[in-house]
Amino acid sequence: MPLKKRAYSDEEKQQREQMIIDAAQQLLMEKSYHSINMNEVARSANLAKGTVYLYFQTKEELFLTLFERQFEAWLEEVEVQLIALASSVTKEAVIDILVQTIAQNRQLVRLAALTNIIFAHTISYEHARDYTTLLHSQIVDLGIILEPLLGILPPSGTQLLYRIYVFVVGLESIANPAPVAKEVFAKNPSLQHPDFETELTALITMAIDALSDRS
């Protein structure tokens, strides 16, 4: 008896999964995470709602996957730019790359801030294990590249990247507050409102200096 033909090839499945992720990314550019639902994602991807649930069981799982993809892309971009520095490597140049690649990807920052608050509480153990293991290995790899450039000893590069993650999550809520808080700052110029890039640069500099003192 001939084998029944599979409904979709692996390539077609990957294409559909990417269509769903792309739709979620586009919607997040237009509105807040909390106002997005899976019906909208399905319509944006030109797929049936049931099809979307074949790939992602929950909205949280979908957006965590989007964060994973963007975080991996950020790590790769930083590595490419660090390699391009060649002989002109300075601490300031490395810090600038780290800050600018983060500041220019506001969606990555927004997703990072949501990860531990929402996403991490709704996924399965298997997803959490795979997600944590993969990202940790990639962070370690980039940390190894950073260490000789900054004159810090292992595992300081990995520690620096984890600290940057903490800085980004914390600064996102302070430097980009809710609309009501933004209105308060706008009407009260005397109130201090931190600038994301300025504060991130200062925090990363302090972290590198602290790790250099231990080397």
Side-chain angles (χ1 to χ4, degrees):
M1 180 177 178
L3 294 174
K4 184 177 179 180
K5 183 180 178 180
R6 297 177 65 180
Y8 300 105
S9 67
D10 289 340
E11 182 178 356
E12 288 172 325
K13 288 182 178 180
Q14 290 174 1
Q15 290 175 346
R16 286 189 170 219
E17 181 181 70
Q18 191 58 52
M19 287 169 59
I20 296 168
I21 294 171
D22 290 344
Q25 181 174 3
Q26 181 59 43
L27 286 169
L28 194 60
M29 291 179 182
E30 301 167 358
K31 58 205 307 187
S32 71
Y33 164 79
H34 297 287
S35 65
I36 299 171
N37 59 54
M38 292 294 264
N39 282 331
E40 290 178 291
V41 174
R43 286 197 300 270
S44 183
N46 293 317
L47 296 171
K49 182 180 178 181
T51 302
V52 173
Y53 280 111
L54 291 176
Y55 293 86
F56 302 98
Q57 295 182 4
T58 64
K59 184 177 86 167
E60 292 80 11
E61 182 181 337
L62 167 58
F63 279 90
L64 178 60
T65 301
L66 175 58
F67 169 70
E68 292 172 17
R69 300 283 177 89
Q70 292 203 5
F71 190 70
E72 290 172 21
W74 175 76
L75 291 168
E76 292 174 2
E77 176 63 19
V78 171
E79 181 175 345
V80 168
Q81 292 200 32
L82 290 175
I83 293 172
L85 286 176
S87 59
S88 59
V89 176
T90 64
K91 181 179 75 172
E92 291 72 24
V94 173
I95 292 173
D96 185 62
I97 287 173
L98 292 170
V99 172
Q100 292 304 314
T101 52
I102 293 170
Q104 290 168 7
N105 193 339
R106 298 303 306 156
Q107 195 170 88
L108 173 63
V109 174
R110 291 171 61 193
L111 289 167
L114 290 168
T115 300
N116 289 328
I117 298 174
I118 297 176
F119 304 152
H121 295 279
T122 60
I123 60 176
S124 66
Y125 167 80
E126 289 75 16
H127 191 169
R129 177 198 60 208
D130 295 343
Y131 154 75
T132 303
T133 302
L134 176 62
L135 263 61
H136 177 74
S137 66
Q138 293 174 322
I139 288 172
V140 169
D141 290 344
L142 181 57
I144 292 172
I145 295 173
L146 283 169
E147 286 159 358
L149 299 179
L150 295 170
I152 54 179
L153 299 176
S156 295
T158 301
Q159 293 172 338
L160 173 63
L161 289 168
Y162 275 115
R163 290 179 187 183
I164 291 173
Y165 178 81
V166 173
F167 298 155
V168 168
V169 171
L171 281 173
E172 169 61 9
S173 60
I174 298 173
N176 297 288
V180 174
K182 287 183 179 179
E183 185 177 356
V184 171
F185 284 118
K187 293 181 178 179
N188 297 273
S190 61
L191 295 176
Q192 290 188 343
H193 182 231
D195 176 73
F196 184 88
E197 290 187 36
T198 300
E199 296 302 323
L200 184 58
T201 300
L203 288 168
I204 293 177
T205 302
M206 290 171 60
I208 293 173
D209 289 344
L211 291 169
S212 298
D213 291 341
R214 291 166 41 187
S215 298

